[in-house]
Amino acid sequence: MTGSEEPPSFRLAYVPGVTPSKWVRIWSERLPDVPLTLSAVSATEAPDVLRGRGAEAGLVRLPMDRTDLSAIPLYTETTVVVVPKDHLVTAVEEVSVEDLADDIVLHPLDDTLEWEHPPGLPALERPATTEDAVELVAAGVGLLVVPLSLARLYHRKDLTYRTLTGVPESRVALAWPQEETTPDLVEEFIGIVRGRTVNSTRGRTPTPPQPKQKRADKGGAKGKPAASRTGGKTAGKTGGKPAGKNARGGSGAAKSGAKRGKPRRP
């Protein structure tokens, strides 16, 4: 590496509710010489950050504008409705869209759920962010439908949530520019989030295979005793057993001869 070259690094963007700590830890164990830096971005700005090379890859929410971006889905989250603790829906474990028909349901501008028709009654204005919407729920303005991780992220003691059925679910994905500038590092992170082992053939530094010489030595070691055993069996068949028969035969002949040689009584 020349003096003008910068050491490799990897920048990872992530949206609210996504926890990349496990993958970051694995990265630091496998690539200690390549620092990974995290950048928190909103769900709406994440695509532009990646296209502008503000990060090599990002943990994002689908659907999103995927122009010039590649993406692989990682997992799907449960959708919940955030309500005040004294709301009627807290009496059950899960609710349906029909149960919210008479309630005002807030629809923030950074919402990533792919709605055809949002549930409930619309509010007069859309909150700018999910965090703002949570504050409005606490103020008794309306309810909020979000992925489970966001309900946990913005948890308040005076609010709770219930599983909501019959609605879209949020998909978390790993995305990166289609013409990435660090393809090897992106491929390495893809392997980590997909659970590839360090010895994967697609990894960056796979463990070298064991030398074949050891196998040859083992084979040679097995070959010699095998030949010896074969020779021993052959010798036993051609020399040992016939010799035993001859010996028994000779002994039998001697006994037979002794009987024939016994004098008769007059």
Side-chain angles (χ1 to χ4, degrees):
M1 182 175 70
T2 63
S4 61
E5 293 179 347
E6 294 183 0
S9 63
F10 190 77
R11 296 167 298 174
L12 178 67
Y14 68 100
V15 299
V18 177
T19 306
S21 55
K22 174 184 176 181
W23 299 319
V24 172
R25 175 179 55 80
I26 296 174
W27 177 281
S28 63
E29 292 172 354
R30 295 187 185 180
L31 293 89
D33 57 328
V34 182
L36 186 153
T37 57
L38 292 172
S39 176
V41 298
S42 68
T44 53
E45 67 182 353
D48 289 336
V49 169
L50 294 175
R51 280 191 288 266
R53 299 302 191 271
E56 276 69 48
L59 296 168
V60 301
R61 291 187 183 277
L62 300 178
M64 70 170 189
D65 179 9
R66 293 173 60 172
T67 304
D68 300 327
L69 298 176
S70 298
I72 52 173
L74 300 179
Y75 58 90
T76 301
E77 286 196 72
T78 299
T79 302
V80 300
V81 55
V82 179
V83 301
K85 281 193 171 180
D86 59 355
H87 196 278
L88 291 176
V89 302
T90 59
V92 295
E93 291 299 318
E94 64 178 34
V95 295
S96 65
V97 173
E98 290 74 17
D99 296 325
L100 307 181
D102 297 329
D103 288 286
I104 293 176
V105 178
L106 303 167
H107 190 205
L109 295 175
D110 64 352
D111 181 20
T112 59
L113 294 173
E114 196 170 16
W115 296 108
E116 184 175 351
H117 299 291
L121 303 173
L124 294 178
E125 295 182 0
R126 295 183 63 182
T129 67
T130 298
E131 188 173 8
D132 293 338
V134 171
E135 296 298 324
L136 293 175
V137 174
V141 174
L143 310 182
L144 175 64
V145 177
V146 291
L148 176 59
S149 64
L150 292 182
R152 290 172 172 171
L153 177 65
Y154 300 122
H155 174 70
R156 290 174 51 111
K157 292 183 179 180
D158 53 349
L159 301 179
T160 187
Y161 55 83
R162 291 292 185 269
T163 300
L164 185 61
T165 61
V167 294
E169 295 177 318
S170 176
R171 292 173 294 155
V172 174
L174 176 66
W176 64 94
Q178 290 178 353
E179 297 181 359
E180 70 266 26
T181 57
T182 56
D184 292 341
L185 295 181
V186 172
E187 182 63 37
E188 186 71 30
F189 196 78
I190 292 173
I192 289 174
V193 298
R194 283 187 161 177
R196 293 180 197 151
T197 65
V198 69
N199 292 328
S200 169
T201 56
R202 301 183 68 180
R204 178 171 175 259
T205 53
T207 301
Q210 294 296 325
K212 293 183 178 180
Q213 184 61 35
K214 290 185 178 181
R215 297 181 180 177
D217 293 341
K218 289 182 179 180
K222 290 181 179 179
K224 290 182 180 180
S228 175
R229 287 195 297 270
T230 303
K233 289 181 180 180
T234 303
K237 289 180 180 180
T238 57
K241 288 186 178 180
K245 290 180 180 179
N246 291 340
R248 287 195 295 271
S251 176
K255 289 180 181 180
S256 177
K259 288 181 181 179
R260 287 196 300 268
K262 187 176 180 180
R264 295 179 181 179
R265 292 181 182 182

